[in-house]
Amino acid sequence: MDSPRKILKVFKSKPVIEGAGVLLKRAFGFSQLPLFDPFLLLDDFRSSNPEEYLKGFPWHPHRGIETITYVLDGYVEHADSMGNRGIISDGGVQWMTAGSGIIHEEMPFGNERGEVAGFQLWANLPASEKMSPPRYRDVKSSEIPVLHMDNGVEIRIICGRHGETSGPVTGIAIDPEYLDISLPPGVSYTCAVPGGRKAFAYIIAGKGVFCHQEKPFGFDAEGVSYFDFETSPLLENETLVLFSDGDSLTITTEEDPIRILLISGNPLNEPVAWHGPIVMNTREELRQAFEEFRNGTFVKKIG
């Protein structure tokens, strides 16, 4: 670890309405292409108001991507055209590879206090796998390994490898690493992130300093970072940090703890044609996908 990553850009998540009327926060999406390649979108659907989420995401198609849903509190009920059904909750993950085409619904509902908390990440598929058979993986919280470091740092490994420990999701084309990292106050932790991978962190609680960044941050009207000596270098909840290349990054806390999602993957460097829930490589492939959805041939037979 002799090439530390630096902060490339910082973003504040923004409110958007999706599905049948779900109010959520978008950390990044279409307008940031191709900054996060191979990742396409990250949504934060934490809420204590059922009116903001109960309408959910009724039946809709996907092709050419993977959707990764991580639920910390409350529940998300899933059903799809492959016959899969299940409920994600309490630290569980749904990793769905849409491939050649899947139609599904995702319906969130709250805990006994009416609260729901989760995140959905979209990862692109390479051109060679966009028409592969769809797959669905339901990962229980108990299947996710948790590392407890001597300085109080806790790391949940959803996908990828940290040290000698691997997460439960394997066989993904972009070789992603998805970590849920918590730091107590007053510690510094350096995390290995192999060079050549796109890497970002999304803060889901607390405050911290990244990459020994000493120059404070402000945000412009579009929510993108700029340097401003009148603000603090501490970054907080609902902030996303995109890193430059390197093979490690450092997170430091002061008086507050911090919890982040640290995600990295190998860039595809391929053209992106994206409309709604479908992401292909050309406009013609998009046109064909929507035509198949209209005429009932979108979902392919397996085997």
Side-chain angles (χ1 to χ4, degrees):
M1 295 190 296
D2 56 4
S3 179
R5 291 177 182 252
K6 301 297 183 183
I7 295 175
L8 187 63
K9 286 182 179 291
V10 179
F11 302 84
K12 292 293 287 185
S13 60
K14 298 179 179 181
V16 297
I17 295 177
E18 292 290 356
V22 176
L23 177 63
L24 49 82
K25 294 286 186 71
R26 178 151 296 159
F28 69 90
F30 181 83
S31 61
Q32 282 77 42
L33 283 175
L35 268 181
F36 291 87
D37 178 26
F39 304 104
L40 299 163
L41 173 152
L42 178 64
D43 282 343
D44 176 344
F45 57 92
R46 291 177 287 175
S47 176
S48 58
N49 180 2
E51 292 183 2
E52 294 180 350
Y53 60 79
L54 278 180
K55 293 180 181 178
F57 305 89
W59 293 93
H60 59 279
H62 284 294
R63 175 178 287 180
I65 64 171
E66 300 186 284
T67 64
I68 302 100
T69 308
Y70 182 29
V71 177
L72 300 183
D73 209 345
Y75 309 87
V76 174
E77 187 171 5
H78 166 88
D80 64 44
S81 53
M82 296 175 64
N84 298 304
R85 288 188 175 272
I87 295 177
I88 325 164
S89 65
D90 301 328
V93 175
Q94 171 198 285
W95 199 297
M96 190 188 77
T97 303
S100 61
I102 198 167
I103 301 173
H104 77 155
E105 69 170 357
E106 301 159 294
M107 305 302 290
F109 52 102
N111 58 20
E112 64 277 5
R113 299 179 302 278
E115 300 167 341
V116 67
F119 310 90
Q120 185 168 94
L121 174 70
W122 288 15
N124 204 0
L125 284 171
S128 60
E129 296 194 18
K130 283 193 178 291
M131 295 302 289
S132 60
R135 293 183 294 170
Y136 172 83
R137 311 179 197 196
D138 187 359
V139 182
K140 305 298 183 186
S141 178
S142 58
E143 301 175 63
I144 299 173
V146 183
L147 302 181
H148 299 278
M149 318 305 282
D150 291 341
N151 58 0
V153 174
E154 181 180 288
I155 304 172
R156 303 188 81 226
I157 307 172
I158 295 166
C159 183
R161 186 178 184 87
H162 193 75
E164 298 301 314
T165 306
S166 298
V169 180
T170 59
I172 306 299
I174 60 172
D175 190 26
E177 186 174 89
Y178 193 141
L179 308 177
D180 177 349
I181 304 178
S182 297
L183 278 72
V187 303
S188 185
Y189 183 72
T190 299
C191 183
V193 182
R197 298 166 67 84
K198 193 62 61 74
F200 65 90
Y202 184 61
I203 304 171
I204 62 175
K207 298 178 182 179
V209 177
F210 291 81
C211 307
H212 301 296
Q213 179 67 56
E214 295 179 355
K215 186 181 286 189
F217 285 99
F219 294 89
D220 64 18
E222 297 301 317
V224 180
S225 64
Y226 66 93
F227 295 112
D228 180 349
F229 284 101
E230 295 181 357
T231 61
S232 169
L234 285 167
L235 298 175
E236 58 186 7
N237 187 33
E238 299 181 353
T239 302
L240 184 140
V241 187
L242 177 64
F243 302 104
S244 66
D245 199 8
D247 55 22
S248 69
L249 60 90
T250 300
I251 312 153
T252 305
T253 55
E254 296 183 357
E255 296 179 357
D256 298 289
I258 194 171
R259 185 176 183 183
I260 67 170
L261 305 179
L262 179 60
I263 298 167
S264 68
N266 292 323
L268 295 175
N269 299 311
E270 294 180 348
V272 174
W274 179 359
H275 185 76
I278 297 173
V279 183
M280 303 301 289
N281 295 106
T282 68
R283 301 300 298 180
E284 174 56 26
E285 290 170 338
L286 272 185
R287 185 204 63 76
Q288 180 180 346
F290 281 100
E291 175 62 24
E292 290 177 358
F293 182 65
R294 286 190 292 269
N295 64 29
T297 60
F298 183 80
V299 175
K300 308 302 180 185
K301 291 184 179 179
I302 300 175

